[in-house]
Amino acid sequence: CAMIQEKHKSSAMLTHGFYFLRVQFELWDSDDPVPRKELLQKVKGVDGLLCVLTEKIDAELLDAAGPNLKVLSTMSVGFDHLSLEELKKRGIRVGYTPDVLTDAVAELTVALLLTTSRRLIEATHEAKTGGWGTWRTLWLCGHELANSTVGIFGLGRIGVAIAERLAPFKVKKFIYTDMAPRPELASAINAEFVSFDELAKQSDFLAVCCALTPETKEICNKNLFSKMKNTSIFINTSRGGVVNQEDLYEALSTGQIAGAGLDVTVPEPLPTSHPLFTLKNCVILPHIASASYTTRNAMSSLAANNLLLGLRGQPMIKELKL
């Protein structure tokens, strides 16, 4: 988190050296989130704010910042941590970081899908703890991508990138659901638009790539899981809030679906006592989809450039239109 004031004497340079802007900035120099109390104190009077998805940008914080705040830049593609109506009401411009993390998220999604479907975490545990004995016919058998139907919920750039990476595994068919058909994106992967119910019924692998909105909050619930095949694999690398975790636990523990791979949960971090951690058929990662050196550096650069361009009153590289 960085707070910027324009009116002081020190200098900050745009990442690629395009121009200089005289600013005073204060940086929270830790990998841990800035404590809320401290953030509310430090944000007073700032002209710009650079944040990550752990900071809740709401009316309380914007009131604490005061009228000088005119630009917010978030180092994330998601913006469910931002109170968009409050930002719009106050005329505060918002930068974000889409596109630069597409490849990293798509790669991680495929890795998580394969890890879950081929039971790699279980297999590693068995090898480490002495469970690896003589060859057994059905021991640690999983589910193949070959000749399968892959469903994508929320067909954006990431959904397309996931499908492009899965196609060489001889997937038979790609289907998707979104707010409306997206023929241009779908044509790139030869995907068919279907209803939400059909997505559940047909998918052997279901990847969730949608944004978290009031319409998608906990949309992946018992209604969805009850329609899925008992051999299906559920993968979520979007936002934890789109899944009802109690319903997911029930579906996994009763064999209603075969497995789930999650990179996102509610809350984050998920308490180690959570029931999902007791299941062998649930793989949980600590929200690392964009965690490659290349992508995090690109996100940092884009977030900084968005902020500085916004402070100059110029078009941002990636601005969220409110």
Side-chain angles (χ1 to χ4, degrees):
C1 183
M3 285 72 74
I4 287 186
Q5 291 178 301
E6 290 186 274
K7 48 186 175 291
H8 298 281
K9 293 184 178 179
S10 55
S11 295
M13 185 173 70
L14 188 66
T15 305
H16 298 294
F18 295 142
Y19 59 77
F20 287 87
L21 174 67
R22 300 188 70 81
V23 302
Q24 181 182 41
F25 69 91
E26 187 160 352
L27 177 69
W28 174 252
D29 191 13
S30 171
D31 283 340
D32 294 324
V34 56
R36 180 71 172 183
K37 184 178 179 180
E38 182 158 352
L39 179 60
L40 292 173
Q41 292 174 346
K42 298 292 188 182
V43 80
K44 292 177 182 177
V46 300
D47 301 283
L49 176 64
L50 191 153
C51 71
V52 294
L53 51 81
T54 53
E55 274 76 62
K56 185 173 179 59
I57 309 300
D58 55 10
E60 179 189 35
L61 185 137
L62 297 175
D63 287 340
N68 284 352
L69 181 60
K70 49 183 171 286
V71 180
L72 171 75
S73 179
T74 180
M75 188 178 144
S76 65
V77 62
F79 42 83
D80 48 281
H81 58 301
L82 310 180
S83 297
L84 299 183
E85 285 301 318
E86 289 291 334
L87 290 161
K88 181 178 180 180
K89 183 170 67 176
R90 299 163 197 251
I92 298 171
R93 295 174 65 190
V94 177
Y96 69 135
T97 60
D99 304 341
V100 295
L101 47 64
T102 297
D103 288 335
V105 175
E107 287 179 7
L108 189 280
T109 304
V110 172
L112 181 56
L113 187 154
L114 290 169
T115 297
T116 306
S117 64
R118 296 304 303 270
R119 302 171 65 179
L120 299 188
I121 303 300
E122 285 183 76
T124 301
H125 176 76
E126 292 294 320
K128 284 182 177 180
T129 58
W132 183 5
T134 58
W135 187 88
R136 284 165 275 174
T137 307
L138 295 178
W139 186 56
L140 289 174
C141 282
H143 300 277
E144 295 183 17
L145 276 160
N147 298 312
S148 69
T149 296
V150 173
I152 298 172
F153 179 41
L155 188 67
R157 291 182 181 88
I158 291 173
V160 170
I162 291 167
E164 289 172 340
R165 285 158 173 78
L166 291 177
F169 286 87
K170 299 182 181 179
V171 170
K172 179 176 67 177
K173 183 180 181 182
F174 289 103
I175 57 177
Y176 77 99
T177 295
D178 212 316
M179 298 296 290
R182 308 192 70 176
E184 289 187 12
L185 286 171
S187 65
I189 55 172
N190 195 28
E192 176 189 347
F193 179 77
V194 297
S195 68
F196 193 58
D197 279 356
E198 283 302 311
L199 188 79
K201 292 174 183 177
Q202 294 187 36
S203 296
D204 296 301
F205 300 87
L206 177 52
V208 179
C209 311
C210 65
L212 176 59
T213 66
E215 292 74 29
T216 62
K217 183 175 173 59
E218 296 194 354
I219 193 170
C220 298
N221 53 33
K222 60 183 178 181
N223 180 56
L224 174 76
F225 302 132
S226 67
K227 294 180 173 65
M228 293 175 68
K229 305 172 186 178
N230 61 11
T231 54
S232 293
I233 302 293
F234 176 83
I235 303 294
N236 183 21
T237 54
S238 60
R239 284 291 185 266
V242 304
V243 178
N244 182 305
Q245 291 175 171
E246 288 72 25
D247 291 352
L248 177 60
Y249 174 82
E250 183 69 17
L252 290 167
S253 61
T254 61
Q256 197 167 59
I257 63 174
L262 310 174
D263 185 49
V264 286
T265 60
V266 176
E268 292 183 358
L270 191 66
T272 56
S273 59
H274 195 282
L276 285 172
F277 279 122
T278 67
L279 301 175
K280 290 183 177 180
N281 57 345
C282 186
V283 177
I284 300 174
L285 302 180
H287 202 153
I288 58 169
S290 66
S292 74
Y293 291 112
T294 299
T295 293
R296 290 288 171 85
N297 286 334
M299 291 172 70
S300 300
S301 175
L302 179 53
N305 279 287
N306 281 339
L307 182 66
L308 294 176
L309 287 165
L311 288 170
R312 287 175 63 91
Q314 297 177 352
M316 295 182 190
I317 301 169
K318 292 292 181 181
E319 183 167 358
L320 187 62
K321 301 301 180 183
L322 302 179

